[in-house]
Amino acid sequence: MIQQTDFFFEGGRSGVLLIHGLTGTPMEMRLLGKGLNKAGFTVHGMQLAGHCGDANDLLATGWRDWYASVEAAADTMLTKVDHLFVGGLSMGALLALKLAADRPQQIAGVGVYGATFRYDGWSIPRMARLSFLLPLLKKVGIGRGRSFMEQPPYGIRDERLRAQVSTAMLSGDSAAAGLPGNPWYSLAEMYGLAADVRRQLPQVSSPCLVAHASEDDVASVKNAELVMREVNAPTELLLLDDSYHMITIDKQRRTLIERSATFFGSIAEASDAQRAAA
C-alpha cells in the first residue's frame, strides 16, 4: 500500500518544488528542503505517482504518470509563490528539466542534481549497463517480474548513513528508503522519459545549476555534461568530490544547499529588481 510521505515547508514568495528519483521517496529530498526553507524558500517535496508502496504499485504507473504528478504539484505551488524553481535528483532531475522545457514562462530556474540519462556509474554491473535495451524487452512482454537489485554503496559515500539507509531499504520500508530494486519495466519507462527529455533539452531556457558527484557510482559525469552542452540556458556546474550519487543526503549536502539557495535567490532578486524598474 502506498504511504504518503511528501512534505511542505512554508516560506517566502520564492518556492522550490523538489522531485525524488526512481523507486525513491521524498525523504531523500527532505534535508535539502529544510535547508532551502531555512534560507527563506517555500518548499514542497512531492511524491511521484506509484512510489512509496511496493513494486506492483510502481509497475501500475509509467513515466507519463510520474510527470503528470509533477505538473499537478507545480500547479499547486504556482498558487503560493511568485517565483517557482524546480529541483530533482537522478530521474527527478530529468522530470525537472522536462517541466522547464514545457513551461519556460513558469519555471525560474532548475536544480539538476545527479541527472541520470543512463546508468553508467562505476558501481553498475556490466549486465545492468545494458538496461537501455529494456524498452525493447518490455515491448515484447519479457521480464515484467524482474528487477535489478540495488548494489553497495547505494549511492552514498557516508558509511554510517549508508548502513542506515540500506537497513531500512532491505527491511521493506519503501516509504523511508525506497525499493531495494529497480523493476525492469519501470527502468524501461525511465529510459523512455530520458529519450523524451534529451530531445527537449534545447527547449530549456531557465538557468540551471548542474550538480553532480565527480565519482558518481550510479550515473557518470557524462550525464551532467550532456545537460551543460544541450540546454539553451545559462548553466553553473557544481562538482562534488566527496559524495556519491545521492548528493542531497551525502557528505556535501550542506554545500549543495548553500549553492542552491544562492543560485535560486540571485535569480529571484534579479527578477524582482527588473519588475520594480519596469
Side-chain angles (χ1 to χ4, degrees), residues 126-159:
R126 185 177 298 274
M127 182 66 181
R129 291 191 183 208
L130 299 175
S131 59
F132 65 91
L133 297 173
L134 290 172
L136 176 60
L137 296 181
K138 183 181 180 185
K139 191 173 182 179
V140 297
I142 296 174
R144 188 182 193 281
R146 302 289 297 276
S147 292
F148 284 118
M149 299 306 293
E150 293 278 354
Q151 299 289 327
Y154 304 112
I156 303 171
R157 190 162 191 155
D158 185 317
E159 293 183 3

Side-chain angles (χ1 to χ4, degrees), residues 4-276:
Q4 203 63 31
T5 62
D6 62 328
F7 58 85
F8 182 81
F9 302 138
E10 187 77 47
R13 295 298 298 178
S14 291
V16 186
L17 177 64
L18 295 176
I19 311 168
H20 63 83
L22 178 63
T23 74
T25 160
M27 292 296 289
E28 65 200 35
M29 309 304 285
R30 193 175 182 88
L31 292 175
L32 174 59
K34 281 187 173 181
L36 289 170
N37 180 244
K38 190 174 181 180
F41 294 90
T42 292
V43 181
H44 179 204
M46 64 158 299
Q47 182 170 321
L48 293 173
H51 286 70
C52 300
D54 59 24
N56 287 328
D57 293 317
L58 182 60
L59 288 167
T61 61
W63 76 259
R64 290 174 178 82
D65 301 301
W66 308 334
Y67 183 58
S69 60
V70 170
E71 289 197 294
D75 288 339
T76 300
M77 280 289 281
L78 285 165
T79 68
K80 303 175 186 298
V81 299
D82 298 324
H83 309 291
L84 178 58
F85 300 91
V86 59
L89 174 66
S90 195
M91 184 189 75
L94 274 57
L95 291 165
L97 286 164
K98 181 168 176 58
L99 189 69
D102 288 344
R103 302 186 177 198
Q105 301 304 315
Q106 294 181 347
I107 304 304
V110 189
V112 185
Y113 306 132
T116 304
F117 290 87
R118 288 189 66 166
Y119 291 92
D120 60 353
W122 57 263
S123 76
I124 303 298
R126 185 177 298 274
M127 182 66 181
R129 291 191 183 208
L130 299 175
S131 59
F132 65 91
L133 297 173
L134 290 172
L136 176 60
L137 296 181
K138 183 181 180 185
K139 191 173 182 179
V140 297
I142 296 174
R144 188 182 193 281
R146 302 289 297 276
S147 292
F148 284 118
M149 299 306 293
E150 293 278 354
Q151 299 289 327
Y154 304 112
I156 303 171
R157 190 162 191 155
D158 185 317
E159 293 183 3
R160 187 171 65 174
L161 179 61
R162 183 195 307 159
Q164 293 172 351
V165 170
S166 62
T167 297
M169 184 170 58
L170 296 174
S171 73
D173 189 359
S174 65
L179 293 173
N182 290 297
W184 281 17
Y185 278 21
S186 297
L187 281 170
E189 288 292 320
M190 199 285 300
Y191 276 107
L193 169 66
D196 187 81
V197 174
R198 185 163 185 173
R199 287 190 295 268
Q200 284 192 285
L201 285 178
Q203 298 170 31
V204 176
S205 57
S206 307
C208 296
L209 172 63
V210 182
H212 214 94
S214 57
E215 297 180 52
D216 195 311
D217 57 315
V218 174
S220 77
V221 176
K222 291 179 181 178
N223 290 270
E225 293 170 348
L226 172 65
V227 176
M228 299 282 292
R229 185 172 64 247
E230 296 292 334
V231 298
N232 186 27
T235 58
E236 184 175 309
L237 179 63
L238 171 61
L239 286 179
L240 300 167
D241 61 2
D242 196 23
S243 297
Y244 290 156
H245 185 63
M246 303 293 288
I247 58 176
T248 55
I249 62 174
D250 212 347
K251 287 186 173 184
Q252 292 168 291
R253 59 183 180 272
R254 290 179 181 84
T255 299
L256 183 67
I257 290 168
E258 291 168 4
R259 288 288 292 272
S260 296
T262 299
F263 185 79
F264 296 150
S266 63
I267 294 171
E269 287 174 13
S271 178
D272 287 340
Q274 187 176 28
R275 189 178 302 173

